[in-house]
Amino acid sequence: MTTTQPRPEEQDLPFNVFARACPSRSTLEHVTGRWGALTLGALSEGSLRFNELRRRVDGVSEKMLSQTLHALERDGLVHREAQLTNPPRVDYELTPLGREVAQRLLSLIRCVEDSMDTVLEARERYDAARGAR
Amino acid sequence: MTTTQPRPEEQDLPFNVFARACPSRSTLEHVTGRWGALTLGALSEGSLRFNELRRRVDGVSEKMLSQTLHALERDGLVHREAQLTNPPRVDYELTPLGREVAQRLLSLIRCVEDSMDTVLEARERYDAARGAR
C-alpha cells in the first residue's frame, strides 16, 4: 500500500518492544534481566529488607542488587520505604503495577521450572547430534 | 538448625531459578534475555527464515541472532528446519514447549507495553525527586 499520509509522531505510536527505540524495551529488560526477574519474583512473596533480598536472590552482588532496585523503583515497579529508626530500616515492596508484572513473570518462571525435564532431554539430544558430526 | 542428614542429591531437588546452580536459571535467561525474548515473541506469530527474523527483531546483529537461536534450539524451544533446496532454505519455528513458554512471555510483554504510560510518569517523578535534592 502506498500512501502520502505523514507518519504519526512517535508519541502517537503504540508502545512496542520490537522497536529498537521504544522505551518499553528498557522496561522489559529491567523486568526480565537476570537480577530484575529474580528480585521481582522474591518481592512477590512480600516486602523484604535489602539483606533479606540479597540472600533470597542467590548469587547477586550488593552493587548489582542496588542497581537493579534503583531501575525497578524508577520504573514504578518497586516502592522503597525508609523508616526513620535507629539504625535506619529500608524495606522494598512491589507497587500495584509491580504486582501485575510480577504475576505474569512468575507464571513464566513456573512454566520454565516445570519444563526443565524436557529442556534437559533436548540439550542432551542437541549435544549428542553435534558430537556425532 | 544443625543436622547430620546428608544433603539430597541435586537431581532430587525441584528446579528452582532462585538457586544459583539450578539449570533452570540458564533457560530462564535464554527465554528472557534481550534477544531471546524478542525472538520467541516474533516466532509466536509463525515460522520465519533467518533474515525475516532479523528484520523483525529490530537492532539484533547477525551474530547475536545466531547465538540466540542456537541456545533456544538446544533448550528445545525452537525447531530449525533446513530444506535441501538450492539455495538452501532454513526456517525457524517454535516447538510445542516453545509455544507454551512464548505464550506466557507475550502476556508479560503486553503487560509491560500496556503499562508504559504509568512507567514513564514514574520515571519523571523519580528523576524530579533526585534532581531536587
Side-chain angles (χ1 to χ4, degrees), chain A:
Chain A
M1 190 174 78
T2 57
T3 170
T4 55
Q5 214 178 313
R7 277 188 63 186
E9 295 300 313
E10 199 181 309
Q11 56 265 38
D12 293 333
L13 289 169
F15 293 106
N16 173 13
V17 295
F18 289 99
R20 179 181 339 204
C22 182
S24 65
R25 199 181 261 195
S26 65
T27 300
L28 184 67
E29 282 170 16
H30 298 155
V31 167
T32 59
R34 173 190 281 203
W35 304 123
L38 297 175
T39 299
L40 288 174
L43 289 176
S44 70
E45 294 155 22
S47 78
L48 289 171
R49 297 165 72 171
F50 188 86
N51 283 326
E52 291 171 330
L53 250 180
R54 206 180 148 191
R55 279 192 295 275
R56 183 79 178 100
V57 182
D58 187 22
V60 73
S61 70
E62 195 171 315
K63 186 182 166 195
M64 284 311 301
L65 181 56
S66 177
Q67 283 180 11
T68 300
L69 284 165
H70 278 303
L72 295 174
E73 191 192 348
R74 183 168 181 263
D75 281 349
L77 302 170
V78 164
H79 175 67
R80 181 180 182 280
E81 182 80 37
Q83 295 181 24
L84 297 172
T85 53
N86 188 3
R89 174 178 171 148
V90 183
D91 289 285
Y92 294 90
E93 63 180 356
L94 297 182
T95 63
L97 178 60
R99 280 197 292 276
E100 277 184 55
V101 170
Q103 194 186 334
R104 285 165 178 83
L105 180 69
L106 279 173
S107 164
L108 175 65
I109 287 177
R110 278 187 222 109
C111 177
V112 167
E113 288 174 342
D114 293 346
S115 308
M116 284 311 294
D117 286 329
T118 311
V119 167
L120 295 181
E121 282 168 27
R123 285 187 187 175
E124 275 180 28
R125 274 198 307 275
Y126 182 92
D127 293 344
R130 295 242 143 180
R133 270 176 208 170

Side-chain angles (χ1 to χ4, degrees), chain B:
Chain B
M1 191 175 78
T2 56
T3 171
T4 55
Q5 212 179 314
R7 280 188 60 186
E9 295 299 315
E10 198 181 310
Q11 57 265 38
D12 292 335
L13 290 169
F15 293 107
N16 173 12
V17 294
F18 289 99
R20 177 181 341 203
C22 183
S24 64
R25 199 180 262 194
S26 65
T27 300
L28 183 67
E29 282 170 16
H30 299 155
V31 167
T32 59
R34 172 189 282 203
W35 304 123
L38 297 176
T39 299
L40 289 174
L43 289 175
S44 70
E45 294 156 22
S47 78
L48 289 171
R49 297 165 74 168
F50 188 87
N51 283 326
E52 290 171 332
L53 251 178
R54 205 180 150 193
R55 278 192 295 274
R56 183 79 179 99
V57 182
D58 187 21
V60 72
S61 69
E62 195 172 316
K63 187 182 166 193
M64 284 311 301
L65 181 57
S66 177
Q67 284 180 9
T68 300
L69 285 166
H70 278 303
L72 294 174
E73 190 191 350
R74 183 167 180 263
D75 281 349
L77 301 170
V78 164
H79 176 69
R80 181 181 183 279
E81 182 81 37
Q83 295 180 26
L84 297 172
T85 52
N86 188 1
R89 175 180 171 147
V90 183
D91 289 286
Y92 294 90
E93 63 181 356
L94 297 182
T95 63
L97 179 59
R99 281 197 291 276
E100 277 184 54
V101 170
Q103 193 187 335
R104 284 163 178 85
L105 181 69
L106 279 173
S107 164
L108 176 65
I109 287 176
R110 278 188 223 108
C111 177
V112 166
E113 288 174 343
D114 293 347
S115 307
M116 285 311 294
D117 286 329
T118 310
V119 167
L120 295 181
E121 280 168 29
R123 285 186 186 176
E124 275 180 28
R125 274 198 308 276
Y126 182 93
D127 293 344
R130 296 242 143 180
R133 271 178 206 170

